[in-house]
Amino acid sequence: MKKVALLGLVCASMFGGMNAGAQEVSYVEDCSQGYLIGPARSNWFITAQGGTNVLFSNHDRHITLRKRFGANAAIFAGKWFTPVWGFRFGASANIMRGATSEYGSFRDPHSGIVGMGSHDMALYGERGVTLGPEIDLMLSLTNWWCGYNPNRVYNAVLHAGGGGYWTFSHKAGDHDWHNAKNRTLFANVGLQNNFSLNRHIDLFIDVTATVMDYSSNDRFDEEAYNKDMTALVAANVGITYHFSPTSFNCPVTAVCPTWKYTDAEGDELTARLDNANRKIEDLQRQLDDCLNRPNKDCECSEALATIYYPINVSTLSKREVTLVQSMAKTMIANPDKKYILTGWADNYTGSEAVNTRLRHQRVDGVKACLVRAGVPESQIETRIDANNLTDYGLKGAQFDRAVTIVEAK
């Protein structure tokens, strides 16, 4: 805002001496400078989601996949600071199912043996619940890569964050959930695929991977009395409601008024413009004369033949193939002569890498056509030239997209 105020002050001082009819300084939004961080009350949202998860821990690989499916749910509130960056906070819960040893903290007392682990250790069903706070940083990939569009239907949002969980498990003799006296931290990352129904409501599909690090009161078995890292992969569906206002503002810039010239200044500028136009017309006339001269009269026309190409094209048309085949007859009739083929591309369009590729492809294509027509490869030398063939400027760039054939001296 200081820059805007300074620009406005400069404009006002520059035009302070002008007559009263001069236009005043105006202020407009300039989205080319990005987007402002929204005010505290704007771009808030609330999200609810639910779905299923698959548990990955020490013994789960020894049981079938269907016995590892659990459930999860979450609710969040959040805010987008810009169209690209935002955050959310809330609570998430998971019901996890898997396999554990006889001594596992989350062994389901109502489940029998579900499989056999290493060293023929019996594995029992595992069932636990995690519940706790979570905070995530959110990055809108589509707004980042494609630019902000409030009417876009699909938006991909990458989110990453973490939090802490309380854990709950069953005890023998009842079906109630009891505090497992376990606290664990977790971190996650996921991709949320949003589909906008209107300005306020989105439906989404979210895929998330979560890693939990249990404390010293964690599950253990007869083989490993140590910490057990547990991971979850979850898929959720959900809904998001965006509170008004939902738009973003661009930075405001000052637009200085149009200068009002005196009559004398205007006459001088008009005379200078007329003189410049006459010079341009004269240069254009000289260029047209050069372009209309036959090739044999041009300074650059030492070539025995010149094959021209459209922009970004390296293949020969039927007409150009006929020309090359005609040139091949001349080469075959003069076996003691060698010929140099040079590939060209204009330097007014395309990158240097693209133009280099076109030069090689064009000259290699003409050589291949000559060889197919019977010209020995020993008579042909190929090269490329990174300069312009004619240097007629952008209007004559079509004359720089070519392959020239000259007789070696």
Side-chain angles (χ1 to χ4, degrees), residues 171-216:
K171 289 185 178 180
D174 63 37
H175 292 273
D176 295 333
W177 291 105
H178 298 272
N179 190 341
K181 302 187 185 316
N182 227 338
R183 305 292 181 268
T184 179
L185 299 177
F186 69 91
N188 62 28
V189 62
L191 180 66
Q192 185 173 293
N193 301 275
N194 293 310
F195 299 90
S196 177
L197 300 184
N198 55 46
R199 189 164 58 94
H200 293 285
I201 299 177
D202 293 344
L203 295 180
F204 65 84
I205 300 173
D206 183 83
V207 179
T208 304
T210 302
V211 176
M212 292 177 284
D213 184 12
Y214 280 90
S215 65
S216 59

Side-chain angles (χ1 to χ4, degrees), residues 139-160:
L139 170 66
S140 175
L141 299 178
T142 44
N143 285 341
W144 182 23
W145 293 336
C146 306
Y148 173 57
N149 180 358
N151 299 317
R152 184 179 288 120
V153 174
Y154 172 77
N155 280 287
V157 176
L158 183 69
H159 60 85

Side-chain angles (χ1 to χ4, degrees), residues 3 13 28 43 49 55 71 114 130 133 142 144 177 183 185 210 215 235 272 362-363 371 388 395:
K3 293 181 179 179
S13 63
V28 298
N43 296 291
Q49 64 184 45
L55 182 64
V114 295
T130 61
T142 44
W144 182 23
W177 291 105
R183 305 292 181 268
L185 299 177
T210 302
S215 65
R272 292 169 60 185
R362 287 167 177 170
V363 75
V371 171
N388 289 318
K395 290 186 177 180

Side-chain angles (χ1 to χ4, degrees), residues 57-58 182-185 212-221 224-230:
S57 59
N58 282 353
N182 227 338
R183 305 292 181 268
T184 179
L185 299 177
M212 292 177 284
D213 184 12
Y214 280 90
S215 65
S216 59
N217 198 25
D218 188 18
R219 301 180 306 171
F220 60 92
D221 55 47
Y225 296 92
N226 56 12
K227 293 184 179 182
D228 178 17
M229 185 70 72
T230 298

Side-chain angles (χ1 to χ4, degrees), residues 342-395:
T342 306
W344 305 81
D346 75 90
N347 289 312
Y348 307 106
T349 59
S351 65
E352 181 58 32
V354 171
N355 289 334
T356 300
R357 173 177 56 80
L358 285 171
R359 294 179 185 112
H360 281 290
Q361 291 176 341
R362 287 167 177 170
V363 75
D364 291 343
V366 173
K367 177 183 177 181
C369 186
L370 289 171
V371 171
R372 286 195 299 271
V375 179
E377 286 195 47
S378 60
Q379 276 188 272
I380 303 172
E381 177 186 343
T382 62
R383 62 181 63 168
I384 67 169
D385 195 317
N387 297 307
N388 289 318
L389 176 59
T390 63
D391 275 331
Y392 287 154
L394 181 58
K395 290 186 177 180

Side-chain angles (χ1 to χ4, degrees), residues 17-285:
M18 296 175 59
N19 59 45
Q23 182 183 358
E24 295 182 356
V25 176
S26 60
Y27 298 90
V28 298
E29 289 190 354
D30 183 4
C31 294
S32 64
Q33 300 185 36
Y35 290 87
L36 296 174
I37 294 177
R41 64 182 182 84
S42 68
N43 296 291
W44 284 90
F45 63 87
I46 187 170
T47 292
Q49 64 184 45
T52 186
N53 63 60
V54 178
L55 182 64
F56 295 88
S57 59
N58 282 353
H59 306 295
D60 297 327
R61 66 182 183 276
H62 298 296
I63 64 171
T64 60
L65 181 63
R66 66 181 181 83
K67 293 182 179 181
R68 294 158 58 190
F69 280 104
N72 42 262
I75 185 168
F76 298 101
K79 172 180 171 61
W80 287 101
F81 294 108
T82 72
V84 176
W85 293 101
F87 85 106
R88 67 182 186 182
F89 62 92
S92 59
N94 302 282
I95 298 178
M96 304 179 301
R97 295 180 62 213
T100 188
S101 68
E102 179 182 358
Y103 304 102
S105 299
F106 296 95
R107 174 185 168 184
D108 188 350
H110 309 291
S111 170
I113 296 176
V114 295
M116 301 298 294
S118 56
H119 306 297
D120 295 326
M121 179 180 64
L123 297 178
Y124 296 84
E126 178 182 42
R127 188 177 178 89
V129 169
T130 61
L131 172 65
E134 176 180 343
I135 184 168
D136 296 326
L137 183 66
M138 307 184 73
L139 170 66
S140 175
L141 299 178
T142 44
N143 285 341
W144 182 23
W145 293 336
C146 306
Y148 173 57
N149 180 358
N151 299 317
R152 184 179 288 120
V153 174
Y154 172 77
N155 280 287
V157 176
L158 183 69
H159 60 85
Y165 281 142
W166 290 275
T167 58
F168 302 86
S169 62
H170 285 305
K171 289 185 178 180
D174 63 37
H175 292 273
D176 295 333
W177 291 105
H178 298 272
N179 190 341
K181 302 187 185 316
N182 227 338
R183 305 292 181 268
T184 179
L185 299 177
F186 69 91
N188 62 28
V189 62
L191 180 66
Q192 185 173 293
N193 301 275
N194 293 310
F195 299 90
S196 177
L197 300 184
N198 55 46
R199 189 164 58 94
H200 293 285
I201 299 177
D202 293 344
L203 295 180
F204 65 84
I205 300 173
D206 183 83
V207 179
T208 304
T210 302
V211 176
M212 292 177 284
D213 184 12
Y214 280 90
S215 65
S216 59
N217 198 25
D218 188 18
R219 301 180 306 171
F220 60 92
D221 55 47
E222 294 173 334
E223 296 176 298
Y225 296 92
N226 56 12
K227 293 184 179 182
D228 178 17
M229 185 70 72
T230 298
L232 283 175
V233 174
N236 293 283
V237 295
I239 186 171
T240 299
Y241 181 82
H242 299 270
F243 297 95
S244 295
T246 60
S247 59
F248 292 90
N249 297 323
C250 305
V252 174
T253 60
V255 177
C256 293
T258 303
W259 183 272
K260 183 176 178 64
Y261 292 102
T262 64
D263 291 341
E265 290 170 334
D267 293 340
E268 180 184 356
L269 288 174
T270 301
R272 292 169 60 185
L273 180 60
D274 290 340
N275 185 45
N277 286 334
R278 284 192 296 271
K279 291 181 179 179
I280 292 172
E281 291 174 359
D282 182 61
L283 290 173
Q284 184 65 51
R285 185 165 50 254

